[in-house]
Amino acid sequence: MPDDISRAVLPPLSATIERTDAPPIPAARSWAASYQGEAGPAIDLTQAVPGYPPHPELLARLAAAAGDGTYAGYGPILGEPALREALAADIAARYRAPVGAEDVAITAGCNLAFAMVMEAITAPGEAVLLPAPWYFNHRMALTLRGVAAVPLPCRAGDRFVPDVQRAEAALTPDVRAIVLVTPNNPTGAVYPPETIAAFAALARRRGLFLVLDETYRDFLAQDDAPHDLFADPSWRQGVVHLYSFAKAYCVAGHRVGAVVAGPALLARLIKAADTLQICPPRSPQVALAWGVAGLRAWREANRTLMARRAAAFRAAMAGAPAWRIDALGGYFAYLRIPDGLPDAVAVAERLAVAQGLLVLPGPFFGPGQERHLRLAFANADEARIAAVPARLAALA
């Protein structure tokens, strides 16, 4: 072997990629590799995925569009007009406010939607206010961009709903945006409309963007609009709404999300979109353009199903009274670890190894979460939900 090859060393890698956390879900799942099945089949509550298949008609339309050469070429950078129109009409009906297709950009998943919005509104060295506990991919996207995540601690005593006065006190001169996630990931907390309105007023007063991630809004228990921000004619000046088709339509692998924003932001978002995605996947957009209206009744039925699973989880936890539910909603329950047990990472590992129960420990979601676990109950039927308390109680 030539000496120059034998002495070769890896060139330096990006400092931001080195600072970015490793993907948490594979790490948690690796703990279960040594589980021997003593407690029964493994129950994986690590990832937020629907516990039921896509609608058969949607699958048929996905297959047809994927086999249609029309959609094998590049499409519009900001998405297919039909899907932009369908989502705008759905938002206008749900929020009872005028939202048009020109306000909508389709993206290759909601994670990319968030990342591209951050490209458009932040520069390296700036900062974004994130409620803590936070969605770990949001923090990862900011780290990759060289943008600081300023934590806004949310308290169990407040059911993990953020406080606007604490948020204003946490703002620094480098902050360019406030991010809210409701229903929340990881806690499941649902923010009241008046809380969202107060944050919108704060952002407007301080000249900041309010980025509102509503990935799980299709699973809200109530029919009322989650907020009335779109009713304010000035919303396009600073409000950014993020949406995911993955949960409501069970198409996570097809990667389709959306950004709803004003023309100034979308004009800049198009640069990030052309660079990072060129265009979102075309065949799922074609199928979803039908599905937004065509599957409305099916989505409503699934919302009811998820409400039943949430109720089943709450009822089942009576069998493990030492474990307190500090928040529950959307796809998630956020559990307080009983006193006398180790902190969250050790408890999550023990649950995986000894009980075959896979959950995510609170520290994966930011500072101050050592006494909490996140359980994504949405992907479990009621029989598996009923088995969870006994496995938790086995550690106490």
Side-chain angles (χ1 to χ4, degrees):
M1 180 179 295
D3 287 346
D4 58 339
I5 295 178
S6 65
R7 291 194 300 268
V9 295
L10 183 68
L13 297 172
S14 161
T16 55
I17 202 72
E18 293 302 308
R19 287 195 295 268
T20 301
D21 295 333
I25 291 174
R29 287 176 172 170
S30 70
W31 295 329
S34 58
Y35 175 58
Q36 299 299 310
E38 298 90 342
I43 302 174
D44 188 347
L45 304 183
T46 59
Q47 193 161 36
V49 294
Y52 46 84
H55 191 279
E57 179 63 19
L58 183 63
L59 287 174
R61 289 174 180 265
L62 283 166
D68 186 339
T70 304
Y71 306 112
Y74 292 125
I77 295 173
L78 293 186
E80 300 293 324
L83 184 54
R84 295 174 72 185
E85 291 166 6
L87 182 59
D90 186 70
I91 292 172
R94 179 69 188 271
Y95 294 83
R96 297 188 294 277
V99 174
E102 69 278 5
D103 300 317
V104 176
I106 304 300
T107 63
C110 196
N111 273 7
L112 187 59
F114 178 85
M116 293 193 302
V117 165
M118 292 302 117
E119 291 279 346
I121 66 178
T122 67
E126 295 180 337
V128 168
L129 187 68
L130 284 187
W134 49 51
Y135 173 44
F136 47 73
N137 283 143
H138 285 171
R139 165 67 184 275
M140 292 164 72
L142 293 175
T143 305
L144 282 172
R145 178 131 181 85
V147 171
V150 176
L152 168 58
C154 298
R155 301 173 179 175
D158 298 329
R159 311 300 288 178
F160 290 100
V161 173
D163 179 83
V164 72
Q165 292 181 335
R166 288 201 296 271
E168 185 156 22
L171 293 176
T172 68
D174 294 330
V175 169
R176 295 292 175 263
I178 301 169
V179 174
L180 299 181
V181 182
T182 178
N184 186 259
N185 181 2
T187 66
V190 177
Y191 301 168
E194 56 270 23
T195 296
I196 298 172
F199 272 90
L202 170 62
R204 184 167 53 248
R205 186 168 67 250
R206 299 293 292 267
L208 307 173
F209 280 97
L210 178 66
V211 179
L212 191 58
D213 186 332
E214 296 187 82
T215 290
Y216 300 95
R217 57 116 166 147
D218 292 289
F219 303 99
L220 287 165
Q222 72 275 12
D223 290 323
D224 295 340
H227 56 78
D228 60 1
L229 299 190
F230 292 129
D232 182 346
S234 68
W235 74 264
R236 294 174 179 84
Q237 297 177 14
V239 172
V240 183
H241 165 92
L242 305 182
Y243 180 70
S244 170
F245 293 88
K247 316 303 180 184
Y249 300 92
C250 307
V251 291
H254 286 284
R255 310 309 304 138
V256 187
V259 175
V260 181
L265 188 141
L266 291 185
R268 289 154 180 80
L269 187 77
I270 199 169
K271 300 178 183 179
D274 190 46
T275 302
L276 298 176
Q277 70 178 18
I278 299 182
C279 66
R282 299 192 69 193
S283 55
Q285 291 184 77
V286 173
L288 288 165
W290 165 80
V292 171
L295 293 178
R296 185 167 287 119
W298 181 76
R299 282 191 291 154
E300 286 296 312
N302 290 333
R303 182 176 69 154
T304 301
L305 171 64
M306 285 302 165
R308 287 202 306 268
R309 289 186 178 177
F313 185 89
R314 188 178 292 279
M317 288 304 296
W323 295 78
R324 188 178 73 207
I325 300 175
D326 274 346
L328 185 149
Y331 271 35
F332 307 109
Y334 211 55
L335 294 189
R336 175 81 183 183
I337 297 169
D339 294 340
L341 289 181
D343 280 349
V345 174
V347 166
E349 184 171 3
R350 284 175 56 184
L351 284 169
V353 172
Q355 297 296 319
L357 179 61
L358 284 67
V359 302
L360 295 185
F364 285 7
F365 302 98
Q369 305 305 309
E370 290 79 9
R371 303 305 299 170
H372 285 92
L373 302 176
R374 190 198 79 172
L375 285 71
F377 60 77
N379 64 7
D381 59 25
E382 292 185 25
R384 285 190 291 166
I385 289 172
V388 168
R391 301 196 189 193
L392 291 171
L395 292 191

